[in-house]
Amino acid sequence: TAEDEVRFRSVLDDVAAYKPGKPPERTDGRPSFKLSSNENPYPPLPGVLAAATEAAGNMNRYPDMGALPLLEALSERFDVPVTDLAIGTGSVAVLYHLLQAACGEGDEVVYAWRSFEAYPIAVQLTGATSVQVPLTEDARHDLKAMEAAITDRTKVVMVCTPNNPTGPVVHRDELVAFLDAVPRNVLVVLDEAYREFVRDTETPDCTEMYRDRPNVVVLRTFSKAYGLAGFRIGYAIGHAPVIAAIRKCALPFGVSEIAQAAAVASLRAEKELLDRVEALVVERTRVVGELRAAGWDVPETHANFVWMPLGDETLAFAEAVQAEGVSVRPFPGEGARVTIGEREANDLFLTIACAWRQ
Ligand code: PMP
């Protein structure tokens, strides 16, 4: 009977579990490539691997929750005080903690849609309500419409730049106008998970935007440009009261010593890692150019992925590329997001995608 069953909070009835990208399925021995999770295709740098391996020797101890060596390295990197920095098991965890700290039942959270799949889940889990503002025709944030969507109940606004899964960025002028218009008691989350891949000069570095705005918090991650997705480590840059609220909601000892050591080593090896990012940006330009030449109407992208607007053909396309050994991320009825991978992966994907248009 119902009395014998564990009952969960009613908000969970509508929460869809987060679905990670599928690894490619291939049994014929030919190479296969995972282009479904915006991962970095490069293997770890030897120095980063060595730092992580050394830290693994302490696995019988809890990690350093203060994470001071990493916070100090980030503090130097961004010229911010350590009190303005919080880390978490991926920037998605930092976002969960922040939303948990900021909102609950009766509150609203405004963000663009389509955007990162974790946003609606994270908002629902707090009991707050998502207010999704449609992207423009060319897949950009409509900041004017987002501004108009703010009500007395709005607690948080999230801006994803570059936007996952479509790729465009928010420009400096429009962002400044937007931030000036948002009430100061509304927290603005600027999610820059892909910032290192941006080459557009009109795109602000949001870590500058937070400085004179106590209600602005920036999310960054080591998962993408720095290639540490598997270690789960991301961070927030915001004013001390925001950071203190995140820390109160954080899981005790959430970020491992291994992840912290790898992140510190990655900041030391940043030049080499950013050279790899540059190579991915060159590949991105090539992929977008070839797709457009083949007739694909792909939006401009400033991240390590490209959005294929496929509408009703989305699932058929995803299955066709999967059959050739490439997994992509389908959003049924809308389109597919394809990560920029190693050259060989991109070549295989381009062959399939260009043939699809013929
Ligand atoms: N924000 C955006 C926009 C993302 O696309 C992702 C990863 N897919 C994240 C945050 C979270 O990344 P992580 O938790 O690995 O830091």
Side-chain angles (χ1 to χ4, degrees):
T1 66
E3 277 138 47
D4 294 328
E5 283 170 22
V6 176
R7 301 257 298 278
F8 294 97
R9 289 162 61 220
S10 59
V11 292
L12 289 195
D13 294 345
D14 301 323
V15 174
Y18 185 83
K19 287 199 205 82
K22 275 201 251 167
E25 293 152 20
R26 178 143 232 182
T27 50
D28 59 7
R30 283 157 65 198
S32 61
F33 301 99
K34 184 174 173 215
L35 300 182
S36 55
S37 293
N38 300 341
E39 292 154 337
N40 190 315
Y42 290 97
L45 289 175
V48 174
L49 190 56
T53 306
E54 193 186 332
N58 289 328
M59 66 172 75
N60 56 315
R61 303 289 177 193
Y62 285 108
D64 168 14
M65 244 186 105
L68 203 57
L70 175 57
L71 294 192
E72 280 174 347
L74 286 169
S75 158
E76 199 174 308
R77 167 71 176 75
F78 290 103
D79 190 23
V80 300
V82 291
T83 45
D84 286 8
L85 291 160
I87 59 167
T89 52
S91 57
V92 75
V94 183
L95 177 68
Y96 273 52
H97 302 328
L98 187 59
L99 291 177
Q100 199 185 339
C103 51
E105 221 136 298
D107 297 329
E108 291 176 353
V109 180
V110 173
Y111 53 91
W113 199 250
R114 176 166 285 281
S115 192
F116 182 29
E117 310 98 281
Y119 293 164
I121 301 170
V123 171
Q124 269 179 311
L125 287 174
T126 69
T129 303
S130 280
V131 177
Q132 300 183 331
V133 178
L135 296 172
T136 61
E137 287 263 301
D138 50 354
R140 286 179 302 107
H141 276 57
D142 186 343
L143 290 180
K144 284 275 170 229
M146 289 176 70
E147 185 187 322
I150 294 172
T151 71
D152 291 346
R153 290 184 296 280
T154 309
K155 277 289 175 71
V156 180
V157 179
M158 304 193 285
V159 176
C160 185
T161 174
N163 187 50
N164 173 11
T166 58
V169 281
V170 165
H171 284 154
R172 187 177 291 107
D173 294 353
E174 56 175 344
L175 185 60
V176 167
F178 177 74
L179 295 177
D180 287 347
V182 174
R184 289 297 156 121
N185 62 351
V186 173
L187 195 59
V188 183
V189 179
L190 302 175
D191 184 344
E192 290 196 303
Y194 303 94
R195 181 61 182 82
E196 297 84 357
F197 296 92
V198 175
R199 292 295 175 271
D200 168 78
T201 54
E202 283 173 61
T203 303
D205 174 341
C206 291
T207 65
E208 293 303 323
M209 292 284 180
Y210 102 95
R211 289 184 193 276
D212 51 357
R213 295 182 177 88
N215 62 328
V216 170
V217 55
V218 182
L219 299 183
R220 296 255 182 131
T221 180
F222 284 98
S223 295
K224 313 293 177 183
Y226 299 82
L228 297 183
F231 279 168
R232 311 304 300 125
I233 183 160
Y235 53 100
I237 304 181
H239 286 259
V242 180
I243 296 300
I246 294 173
R247 288 192 184 152
K248 283 185 187 172
C249 294
L251 288 180
F253 308 112
V255 182
S256 74
E257 199 81 32
I258 304 170
Q260 293 181 34
V264 171
S266 298
L267 288 171
R268 281 205 199 105
E270 193 169 35
K271 195 191 159 306
E272 232 172 310
L273 291 168
L274 294 182
D275 285 347
R276 291 172 159 192
V277 168
E278 183 57 30
L280 291 168
V281 168
V282 170
E283 276 296 277
R284 174 180 78 198
T285 306
R286 180 176 80 92
V287 169
V288 169
E290 290 196 23
L291 288 173
R292 286 185 175 156
W296 284 94
D297 183 20
V298 297
E300 56 165 2
T301 173
H302 300 275
N304 66 340
F305 53 80
V306 56
W307 173 250
M308 314 282 288
L310 282 146
D312 293 341
E313 290 187 305
T314 301
L315 278 180
F317 178 83
E319 278 162 24
V321 294
Q322 179 93 17
E324 296 299 321
V326 178
S327 64
V328 300
R329 178 73 68 97
F331 297 90
E334 295 175 63
R337 189 195 66 201
V338 185
T339 306
I340 304 298
E342 57 273 62
R343 197 181 165 91
E344 201 188 349
N346 303 331
D347 279 343
L348 178 55
F349 172 70
L350 280 170
T351 306
I352 311 162
C354 294
W356 182 268
R357 296 293 305 187
Q358 263 137 47

